Amino acid sequence: MTDISMTSAQSQSQTGKIVLRWLLYIALGLFALFYLMPLFVMITTSLKSLDEIRTGDLIALPREVTFDAWRTAWSGACTGIQCEGVRPYFWNSILIAIPAVAISTLLGAMNGYVVAQWRFRGANIIFSLMLFGCFIPFQVVLLPMARTLGIMGIAGTIPGLIFVHVIYGLGFTTLFFRNYYVTIPAELTKAAKVDGAGFFRIFWSIFLPLSLPIIVVTVIWQFTQIWNDFLFGVSFSQAGTQPVTVALNNIVNSTTGVKEYNVDMAAAIIAALPTLFVYVVAGKYFIRGLTAGSVKG
Amino acid sequence: MTKWLEENTPKLVLAPSFIAVLIFVYGFIAWTAWVSFTRSRLLPRYDIEGLIQYERLFASPRWDTALNNLFVFGILFILIAMVLGLILAILLDQNIRTEGAIRTIYLYPMALSMIVTGTAWKWILNPGLGVEAMVRGWGFESFTFDWLVNPDMAIYTVVIAAIWQSSGFVMALFLAGLRSVDGEIIKAAQVDGIPTWRIYTAIIIPSMAPIFLSAFIVLSHLAIKSFDLVIALTGGGPGYATDLPATYMYAMAFSRGDIGQAASSAMIMMMVVFAIVVPYLYSELRSKDD
């Protein structure tokens, strides 16, 4: 045992190690402060009155906690001419996100199942072409999409935004399921086929029950993407159908009246709450989606 | 008939998605490319006129600013986020007892919308009541930190906010990479008495080359597509000092009514993305077929 024969040199290096360890924890703590600071400032600012914001310190705790800003942000703040807060837009985001996530996940599961387990000639090329769609800058489709939505009669509507999110989410959802299903041995499908099970039967009774983890990853990924989307929301919505990110930006940049920083911060937190909540309860899956989305395969 | 149906079910299931992608990705790119060669203004026109839109684009000082900003922002953002991410990953890789909690803290900004991030930093960095006012309140009366409203410095506030948002994600990538390095080699090196920093610089980091590449691809992709953050943080201002290609394109398409410029700037953005992503995807897909 080294403990018994510890020389003074060793004990010195031991204290060195402890000092190093302390420095390590201090460094980690400082970085943690850097990441937490904006959230802290947002929360405290949202709980202060405007007077206190003007006279006080950015990082000071509120002297008097008031929820007025939250009330205004939720149901009274102005996004341009309307003053209904973020509530209707929060609701829009939900109406957009839920169907778009459900449809794109279901289609992705079916596509991934075909590409991974029912390979036919050209399947790989099709998959590559779909995958490629994940990487285009969406600016390149904005103009024709605006016209197409107009022709389809769903410009500026919530179904229009759902449609856009489904289309441009397909590449990623297909990728997620494909990468998950290729790890399932092809013999399983073959054996089921021998037993007389068809395409859909095998999907329903063999693949879908195995898919819970990847469904969670895909749903979280899609939900975060769609909830946080701004580009499609601002391009393809009109007054009344805007998602919450667009409403938040309008509140913050609305030039009428006094600048209410506390209301801005409360509105920002409200807009962030759903994805933050998902991250806190299912962080593991969130990270898996992030890394799967970037380091494919 | 049923036999045919049975044999072709997989193709039929894949077909709608594939057709959708063909139309809404490739067809739309073709449309934008076509229009970028026309004289389209408020309404699209379809007679090819050559490169006039691209000539206008590169003659425009605003586009020049946007490209310069992309360059400055892209390089700083990618470089700092990678270095910071690597440092955080290495620090966290030292058997930290509270690793899970710390990781959660470093990574949560990634769950936020860029609009939320922009709103928060806009408040923190505003000179009147934010950091500048706070430090002045502590007695440093001449302290100035007005980057947000200073045309020469505003682009750096975008860099700060973008790094805050994305560096935790780079950390997660690198941490996964550090953990996947063969433990036997590290143990052998430790037995040989090689100091820890040497183990990192000579063994672990070189073996993570593919992760550096992925991080680079993801970050450059994020940089080129950056739109929301600029809109929320600076609105492209002061003036158009923080315009990026994405905000330029949007302004041309939806507020200036200049479809030709919008299309040509979008095409340039796509070419930049392709120049980075295509070689990467190609090598990835090839290595998978082998």
Side-chain angles (χ1 to χ4, degrees):
Chain A
M1 296 292 278
T2 45
D3 289 348
I4 301 163
S5 60
M6 201 154 56
T7 64
S8 72
Q10 269 169 324
S11 89
Q12 221 166 27
S13 86
Q14 209 65 17
T15 29
K17 255 186 196 149
I18 291 169
V19 171
L20 219 61
R21 206 82 198 139
W22 270 101
L23 285 177
L24 178 65
Y25 275 98
I26 291 169
L28 286 170
L30 287 176
F31 279 119
L33 281 183
F34 168 67
Y35 289 103
L36 284 174
M37 186 268 292
L39 186 65
F40 172 80
V41 169
M42 281 166 88
I43 295 172
T44 52
T45 304
S46 76
L47 298 173
K48 290 176 186 170
S49 67
L50 264 185
D51 281 339
E52 201 184 327
I53 289 174
R54 283 203 204 91
T55 54
D57 198 294
L58 180 70
I59 55 168
L61 286 168
R63 279 189 300 268
E64 257 176 90
V65 172
T66 160
F67 289 94
D68 289 349
W70 282 76
R71 219 165 292 127
T72 313
W74 181 243
S75 56
C78 299
T79 57
I81 26 169
Q82 276 139 328
C83 295
E84 310 159 280
V86 293
R87 183 173 50 187
Y89 307 98
F90 192 89
W91 185 236
N92 284 345
S93 275
I94 292 175
L95 286 180
I96 294 164
I98 290 177
V101 170
I103 297 169
S104 60
T105 304
L106 185 71
L107 286 174
M110 300 296 287
N111 294 341
Y113 169 61
V114 171
V115 179
Q117 295 281 336
W118 295 77
R119 297 172 160 263
F120 52 83
R121 247 161 53 98
N124 255 343
I125 293 172
I126 290 181
F127 174 62
S128 309
L129 285 172
M130 289 182 71
L131 187 60
F132 211 67
C134 300
F135 290 94
I136 58 163
F138 290 130
Q139 277 76 15
V140 88
V141 298
L142 282 188
L143 291 167
M145 186 49 105
R147 298 181 69 76
T148 307
L149 291 176
I151 293 165
M152 291 166 73
I154 49 175
T157 66
I158 285 178
L161 279 169
I162 295 171
F163 177 77
V164 174
H165 282 299
V166 168
I167 297 285
Y168 297 108
L170 275 179
F172 268 117
T173 58
T174 303
L175 169 72
F176 285 162
F177 280 98
R178 181 261 184 200
N179 283 356
Y180 186 76
Y181 287 152
V182 278
T183 62
I184 296 173
E187 283 69 36
L188 207 62
T189 312
K190 272 190 203 129
K193 267 195 264 186
V194 171
D195 287 346
F199 178 88
F200 290 105
R201 180 72 202 283
I202 298 174
F203 181 68
W204 275 112
S205 18
I206 299 177
F207 281 84
L208 217 49
L210 291 171
S211 307
L212 189 64
I214 198 64
I215 291 176
V216 175
V217 169
T218 311
V219 165
I220 289 179
W221 168 270
Q222 280 296 90
F223 178 75
T224 315
Q225 293 296 309
I226 294 170
W227 188 274
N228 288 343
D229 160 72
F230 179 73
L231 182 61
F232 289 149
V234 75
S235 304
F236 303 135
S237 67
Q238 59 194 31
T241 60
Q242 287 139 335
V244 71
T245 47
V246 177
L248 169 63
N249 190 52
N250 289 345
I251 289 175
V252 174
N253 292 313
S254 101
T255 42
T256 46
V258 192
K259 197 90 213 70
E260 294 179 289
Y261 296 104
N262 48 1
V263 173
D264 292 354
M265 291 304 121
I269 299 170
I270 293 171
L273 272 180
T275 49
L276 265 186
F277 174 75
V278 167
Y279 173 66
V280 169
V281 298
K284 194 176 72 177
Y285 294 99
F286 176 79
I287 295 165
R288 215 181 285 172
L290 274 180
T291 42
S294 51
V295 201
K296 31 165 267 56
Chain B
M1 180 63 194
T2 47
K3 180 117 176 52
W4 181 89
L5 204 62
E6 212 166 280
E7 269 169 12
N8 288 288
T9 314
K11 289 179 197 171
L12 290 174
V13 166
L14 195 57
S17 299
F18 181 53
I19 291 168
V21 169
L22 277 187
I23 296 172
F24 296 108
V25 175
Y26 297 94
F28 278 12
I29 292 174
W31 190 94
T32 305
W34 184 286
V35 166
S36 77
F37 293 120
T38 67
R39 280 187 191 278
S40 305
R41 272 284 172 125
L42 202 56
L43 289 171
R45 290 159 55 173
Y46 297 99
D47 334 299
I48 299 272
E49 298 268 356
L51 294 171
I52 47 157
Q53 294 297 348
Y54 294 92
E55 282 160 15
R56 278 180 67 207
L57 191 64
F58 284 97
S60 147
R62 185 171 177 182
W63 174 253
D64 198 46
T65 311
L67 271 190
N68 269 334
N69 279 339
L70 177 62
F71 194 67
V72 170
F73 167 72
I75 288 185
L76 287 176
F77 166 62
I78 294 170
L79 210 70
I80 301 175
M82 294 240 281
V83 171
L84 189 61
L86 184 64
I87 292 174
L88 292 176
I90 292 176
L91 290 181
L92 261 186
D93 195 32
Q94 312 301 321
N95 286 319
I96 303 299
R97 214 174 309 147
T98 47
E99 187 196 310
I102 296 178
R103 233 182 16 206
T104 307
I105 292 171
Y106 290 176
L107 199 63
Y108 85 90
M110 201 67 195
L112 303 179
S113 156
M114 290 280 193
I115 298 292
V116 172
T117 301
T119 303
W121 283 94
K122 184 181 189 161
W123 163 236
I124 293 167
L125 296 173
N126 95 74
L129 293 164
V131 172
E132 183 184 285
M134 181 180 79
V135 177
R136 284 188 183 176
W138 292 345
F140 304 94
E141 297 293 341
S142 60
F143 177 82
T144 314
F145 186 52
D146 61 351
W147 289 9
L148 193 63
V149 294
N150 179 341
D152 293 328
M153 303 304 280
I155 190 68
Y156 301 109
T157 63
V158 184
V159 176
I160 295 174
I163 289 171
W164 178 79
Q165 169 117 12
S166 308
S167 49
F169 164 61
V170 184
M171 173 218 64
L173 274 184
F174 281 139
L175 199 58
L178 290 174
R179 301 270 153 89
S180 67
V181 176
D182 188 358
E184 292 300 314
I185 301 174
I186 298 171
K187 249 181 234 157
Q190 278 167 340
V191 170
D192 286 350
I194 297 170
T196 314
W197 67 271
R198 278 293 291 164
I199 297 181
Y200 273 106
T201 52
I203 302 172
I204 300 178
I205 292 175
S207 76
M208 295 204 316
I211 308 226
F212 277 91
L213 186 63
S214 318
F216 173 77
I217 299 284
V218 175
L219 291 174
S220 50
H221 197 236
L222 278 177
I224 296 160
K225 295 218 281 193
S226 282
F227 170 71
D228 343 13
L229 187 58
V230 174
I231 295 287
L233 186 62
T234 63
Y240 49 75
T242 51
D243 244 356
L244 287 179
T247 54
Y248 180 91
M249 185 276 162
Y250 185 82
M252 291 301 147
F254 295 99
S255 38
R256 290 286 202 85
D258 196 336
I259 288 181
Q261 282 296 285
S264 56
S265 55
M267 289 310 291
I268 300 282
M269 285 180 69
M270 200 185 67
M271 284 178 230
V272 177
V273 171
F274 277 19
I276 295 169
V277 169
V278 170
Y280 172 71
L281 270 189
Y282 184 71
S283 67
E284 285 276 302
L285 288 169
R286 262 184 67 116
S287 66
K288 198 151 288 165
D289 289 342
D290 293 340

